[in-house]
Amino acid sequence: MTLLLISIVFILPVVAIASYQHYKIGKQPAYDAKETLLNYEIIGSGENKLVLLHGLTGSLHYWKRNLESITTTHKLLLVDLLGFGDSPKPQSDYSLSIQLQALELILNKEEFNDGKTIIAGHSMGAMISLALLEKQPTWFKAGIFISIPVYKNADEFKEIMSSHSFVDRISTSKFSKYICMIHPIFMSSAFKPDNLTDDVYEDAKKHHWQSYYYSLTKVILKTDLYAIAKKIKDKDVLFIHGEKDTTAPLENALKLSKEFKNAQLITSSEGDHQFFLKEAEFVWNTIQDFTISDKKLQKTISNEH
């Protein structure tokens, strides 16, 4: 009787939700590289073009903080990556190449491919930004990588995550696919990480198991960032990182930055993996210093004095 009650109260609802989530994905069309348009917004009137890509489970709303200054100097293209936010969530393996194809369609459409654009991203978005810079080097004059996760292999990633919370451990484990299938239950306010804002956490619920699981296993854990960096080592790049980032260790980002001839690395002394949510103005100022020639000149003169 006790087992029956447990099944009715706990197991059956979980199975029902997981089955429904799986059913919803099954009803989605397959990814079409020519027809699938991502959700995006263009904000700002500045003469400098800046593309911004969010991280795993994020959305374009991640960037909507302290925009007053950056939007006067930059025209921002904010994008929901395929499978996240309000972008389509087709049946797909969500590989790096597919994410790049989907982005290329939007950048071509909005003419953010003129060689004067800066490509930037946070976490997984930083990895995708680096890969797009390598694939289309003539489209961009520089790249900016915020909290970029660099791992030797999956074992190093598992070791790093082993010191994190129980929620982080299971959501990045071999069971992550199944956890995602019940994320309507799992992603309640009780499980919200302290370093995420309410709006970012709400948008994180919009993914499904395919977009999460394949992005983690195929993009984050299988992309050789060093091989990509070596092909574009002459590009101007900026790394922005939190010194207290325990998800994407600073020392790994520093090693990757050394593959470039013209790399800058700016850190936030108290920042963790999501430090942009608390220090948006610092990030925007750093980007402006890097991308606007007048500010670069002022900084150089200041350093000389």
Side-chain angles (χ1 to χ4, degrees):
M1 179 62 73
T2 302
L3 289 176
L4 179 59
L5 287 173
I6 291 173
S7 297
I8 293 172
V9 174
F10 295 105
I11 299 176
L12 290 180
V14 169
V15 171
I17 290 171
S19 299
Y20 177 64
Q21 294 295 318
H22 198 275
Y23 167 78
K24 282 202 306 182
I25 295 174
K27 298 293 287 184
Q28 296 297 316
Y31 172 70
D32 186 331
K34 296 181 180 179
E35 298 294 333
T36 306
L37 284 177
L38 302 177
N39 181 57
Y40 65 93
E41 292 183 28
I42 296 176
I43 302 175
S45 56
E47 61 182 24
N48 304 279
K49 293 182 178 180
L50 177 63
V51 179
L52 290 161
L53 306 180
H54 61 79
L56 187 65
T57 78
S59 77
L60 60 82
H61 296 294
Y62 186 86
W63 304 106
K64 292 184 177 180
R65 285 159 178 79
N66 301 87
L67 291 172
E68 294 79 9
S69 174
I70 192 70
T71 50
T72 61
T73 57
H74 290 73
K75 183 179 181 181
L76 311 181
L77 175 62
L78 312 180
V79 185
D80 281 340
L81 293 170
L82 188 72
F84 299 96
D86 293 320
S87 276
K89 299 169 181 65
Q91 293 191 57
S92 169
D93 66 359
Y94 291 89
S95 64
L96 178 61
S97 62
I98 284 178
Q99 290 288 1
L100 297 183
Q101 285 178 357
L103 286 165
E104 286 169 326
L105 201 60
I106 299 302
L107 268 64
N108 271 313
K109 180 175 181 289
E110 297 297 341
E111 298 182 346
F112 276 73
N113 59 350
D114 58 3
K116 301 176 182 178
T117 299
I118 305 291
I119 182 72
H122 168 257
S123 193
M124 183 181 77
M127 300 177 73
I128 294 173
S129 295
L130 178 59
L132 191 54
L133 181 64
E134 185 271 323
K135 185 179 181 183
Q136 300 290 358
T138 61
W139 287 16
F140 310 106
K141 65 178 182 179
I144 299 174
F145 317 120
I146 304 168
S147 303
I148 189 167
V150 184
Y151 308 113
K152 295 176 184 176
N153 48 43
D155 289 337
E156 184 185 23
F157 173 74
K158 290 176 184 177
E159 182 180 350
I160 288 170
M161 297 310 296
S162 67
S163 63
H164 282 221
S165 68
F166 172 74
V167 173
D168 284 346
R169 292 200 304 273
I170 62 171
S171 61
T172 56
S173 70
K174 61 183 179 181
F175 302 109
S176 59
K177 178 194 301 186
Y178 308 104
I179 295 299
C180 263
M181 291 181 186
I182 58 170
H183 79 264
I185 295 175
F186 190 72
M187 294 190 71
S188 65
S189 58
F191 294 105
K192 184 178 82 67
D194 293 336
N195 62 351
L196 292 184
T197 57
D198 290 342
D199 62 321
V200 168
Y201 193 60
E202 282 302 310
D203 271 2
K205 300 176 184 179
K206 294 181 178 180
H207 68 275
H208 59 51
W209 76 263
Q210 278 189 350
S211 61
Y212 179 90
Y213 178 74
Y214 290 134
S215 294
L216 174 64
T217 57
K218 294 194 172 188
V219 177
I220 294 177
L221 296 183
K222 289 192 176 180
T223 300
D224 187 342
L225 296 178
Y226 284 94
I228 293 172
K230 287 175 182 177
K231 294 178 182 178
I232 49 171
K233 60 185 179 181
D234 293 326
K235 279 288 187 180
D236 289 341
V237 295
L238 170 66
F239 291 77
I240 310 177
H241 219 92
E243 293 181 16
K244 295 185 177 180
D245 190 336
T246 58
T247 298
L250 172 61
E251 58 267 27
N252 290 3
L254 178 60
K255 289 177 184 177
L256 179 65
S257 72
K258 291 179 179 178
E259 295 294 329
F260 294 91
K261 294 180 180 179
N262 304 302
Q264 295 182 39
L265 190 148
I266 306 295
T267 63
S268 163
S269 60
E270 296 297 316
D272 62 11
H273 193 60
Q274 303 291 349
F275 73 95
F276 171 79
L277 298 176
K278 293 181 179 179
E279 300 182 69
E281 189 172 352
F282 160 74
V283 173
W284 296 140
N285 287 339
T286 302
I287 289 174
Q288 287 172 321
D289 287 344
F290 176 72
T291 58
I292 301 174
S293 57
D294 289 345
K295 287 201 171 190
K296 277 187 178 180
L297 179 60
Q298 291 171 8
K299 190 173 181 180
T300 301
I301 293 172
S302 176
N303 287 342
E304 288 175 353
H305 287 298

